[in-house]
Amino acid sequence: MTVLEPEGLYSDTRLEQEILGPGVRLLQGHAKASLAELPDSLLAEVDGLMTLRMAVPAEQIARFPKLKVVVRMGVGYDRVDRAACAARGILVANVPDYGTMEVAEFAVLLALSLRRGLILYHETQRGPDPAPWAVMQSPLHRRQEVQRFGILGLGRIGSAAALRARAFGYDVVFFDPQQPNGWDRALGIRRARSLDELLAQSDVLSIHCPLTRNTRGMIGERELRLLPRNAVVVNTARGPIMDLDALERCLRDGHIAGAGLDVIPEEPPRDPIPSLLRAYRDREPWLTGRLVVTPHIAFHTPEAWDDIRRKGVETMRDVLVEGRRTNVIPPESD
């Protein structure tokens, strides 16, 4: 069997070869942006494909006559055309258990840094004309214990975020129809019966669901305005889940007090960039201390990168070589 790592991520592949075993040949490509850069002769040999940043669209899947398994070396699997894979009987798997702690911590950190004024004071104290050395009045500032921390999507990362937010004193509530009854009791948090019910009581909304056809555009202007006035919104999941233009309107009129975004709909942004991001980059005064944008790095630690590498190849071994169903995404899942 042959496994392809098309991006040439690592200078040596001894770890991968050790895990896959002697019966598997590992090939590296050196594509910079797309599988289209690789020759048909290489793709014709491949039984297993491991990708980190690279998309796997239908037209590229068609170039792999022997392909049996695609492993997305990360949590999100929206970059893989699962319908095209399913039509060929190709299994798709991900790595759902890397970066769990990092992303959960980062989500809570974004909320805390906004709610306690860390971002506001940082921005207003630097430069040649700092703000007065005094308290600033802002609707952002709240004690954690009087707020409800709403979690949309209580998978591995959402659960880890719930535990961390609870440790800081938040009253934690979640909505996730995929989780069985009792999950809330195991974590010591509360369940909302619907998305609307979650939103209506979330002083902080933290998004932790995957990007699917059902979650794309899930949080629009209607949903944002269901949040209590002066709520904070945090997204460390996928950018297209939330309407960025709607978020801007709600920030401008003051319904939303602040937002922390590690993800945006198009990454990296291309011209014309969203107007909210333009206002942020231009440091427009109305956004001071109210918006944090980071470049999809919530997962980033050396330990998380090690997990991506090891767990990615372990998943390939389990599914391709040993016939297990480790981390396989059901083709009928949304």
Side-chain angles (χ1 to χ4, degrees), residues 146-197:
V146 303
Q147 297 176 76
R148 291 191 175 97
F149 194 104
I151 294 180
L152 177 56
L154 200 76
R156 296 167 181 85
I157 296 172
S159 296
L163 292 173
R164 285 154 175 77
R166 186 168 174 258
F168 275 105
Y170 283 104
D171 175 14
V172 180
V173 59
F174 78 95
F175 172 66
D176 188 336
Q178 303 302 316
Q179 292 295 4
N181 290 334
W183 201 254
D184 45 340
R185 293 192 172 188
L187 297 179
I189 62 177
R190 296 185 299 107
R191 178 192 290 269
R193 295 178 299 167
S194 68
L195 176 59
D196 285 5
E197 183 179 299

Side-chain angles (χ1 to χ4, degrees), residues 283-304:
R283 298 192 179 187
E284 293 186 9
W286 69 275
L287 265 182
T288 300
R290 301 178 62 200
L291 179 63
V292 184
V293 179
T294 53
H296 204 146
I297 49 76
F299 74 95
H300 172 62
T301 64
E303 293 81 6

Side-chain angles (χ1 to χ4, degrees), residues 9-20:
L9 296 169
Y10 312 112
S11 58
D12 74 79
T13 58
R14 285 177 292 181
L15 173 67
E16 287 77 9
Q17 199 63 68
E18 179 183 345
I19 291 171
L20 289 170

Side-chain angles (χ1 to χ4, degrees), residues 25-289:
R25 181 174 55 149
L26 180 69
L27 301 177
Q28 281 189 302
H30 295 284
K32 297 185 182 303
S34 170
L35 291 168
E37 301 168 36
L38 301 175
D40 289 336
S41 58
L42 175 63
L43 274 50
E45 304 179 50
V46 174
D47 301 283
L49 175 65
M50 298 174 57
T51 69
L52 178 61
R53 303 179 183 91
M54 211 159 278
V56 187
E59 65 270 18
Q60 295 304 318
I61 293 168
R63 299 177 60 214
F64 290 84
K66 295 174 55 183
L67 191 61
K68 301 178 182 67
V69 178
V70 176
V71 172
R72 165 78 203 350
M73 298 166 69
V75 180
Y77 44 83
D78 48 283
R79 299 178 186 180
V80 180
D81 190 325
R82 292 190 299 121
C85 287
R88 289 259 313 272
I90 299 167
L91 298 176
V92 177
N94 67 343
V95 181
D97 53 344
Y98 96 93
T100 302
M101 299 80 73
E102 286 89 348
V103 179
E105 290 160 2
F106 203 83
V108 176
L109 172 65
L110 285 172
L112 287 168
S113 64
L114 287 162
R115 275 298 188 207
R116 292 310 322 279
L118 188 154
I119 302 301
L120 176 63
Y121 289 108
H122 169 70
E123 290 190 358
T124 56
Q125 285 300 319
R126 62 179 177 168
D129 187 26
W133 193 263
V135 167
M136 299 179 70
Q137 298 301 322
S138 169
L140 279 167
H141 302 161
R142 298 287 304 281
R143 176 182 289 178
Q144 316 318 318
E145 286 85 354
V146 303
Q147 297 176 76
R148 291 191 175 97
F149 194 104
I151 294 180
L152 177 56
L154 200 76
R156 296 167 181 85
I157 296 172
S159 296
L163 292 173
R164 285 154 175 77
R166 186 168 174 258
F168 275 105
Y170 283 104
D171 175 14
V172 180
V173 59
F174 78 95
F175 172 66
D176 188 336
Q178 303 302 316
Q179 292 295 4
N181 290 334
W183 201 254
D184 45 340
R185 293 192 172 188
L187 297 179
I189 62 177
R190 296 185 299 107
R191 178 192 290 269
R193 295 178 299 167
S194 68
L195 176 59
D196 285 5
E197 183 179 299
L198 174 76
L199 296 171
Q201 58 184 309
S202 295
D203 301 292
V204 174
L205 174 67
S206 191
I207 299 172
H208 295 286
C209 51
L211 178 62
T212 69
R213 63 177 179 268
N214 289 334
T215 63
R216 184 179 293 272
M218 175 182 281
I219 304 299
E221 186 162 355
R222 172 191 171 274
E223 288 73 27
L224 290 170
R225 294 199 183 280
L226 288 175
L227 293 166
R229 188 168 184 83
N230 296 323
V232 162
V233 179
V234 170
N235 189 3
T236 55
R238 285 292 186 269
I241 295 170
M242 183 165 59
D243 184 333
L244 212 57
D245 292 333
L247 176 62
E248 180 182 8
R249 290 191 291 272
C250 293
L251 282 165
R252 280 188 180 275
D253 68 20
H255 185 78
I256 299 298
L261 306 177
D262 185 53
V263 292
I264 57 175
E266 184 177 28
E267 299 174 0
R270 293 184 295 181
D271 288 330
I273 69 170
S275 58
L276 178 61
L277 188 56
R278 174 60 63 195
Y280 175 77
R281 288 181 173 181
D282 291 344
R283 298 192 179 187
E284 293 186 9
W286 69 275
L287 265 182
T288 300

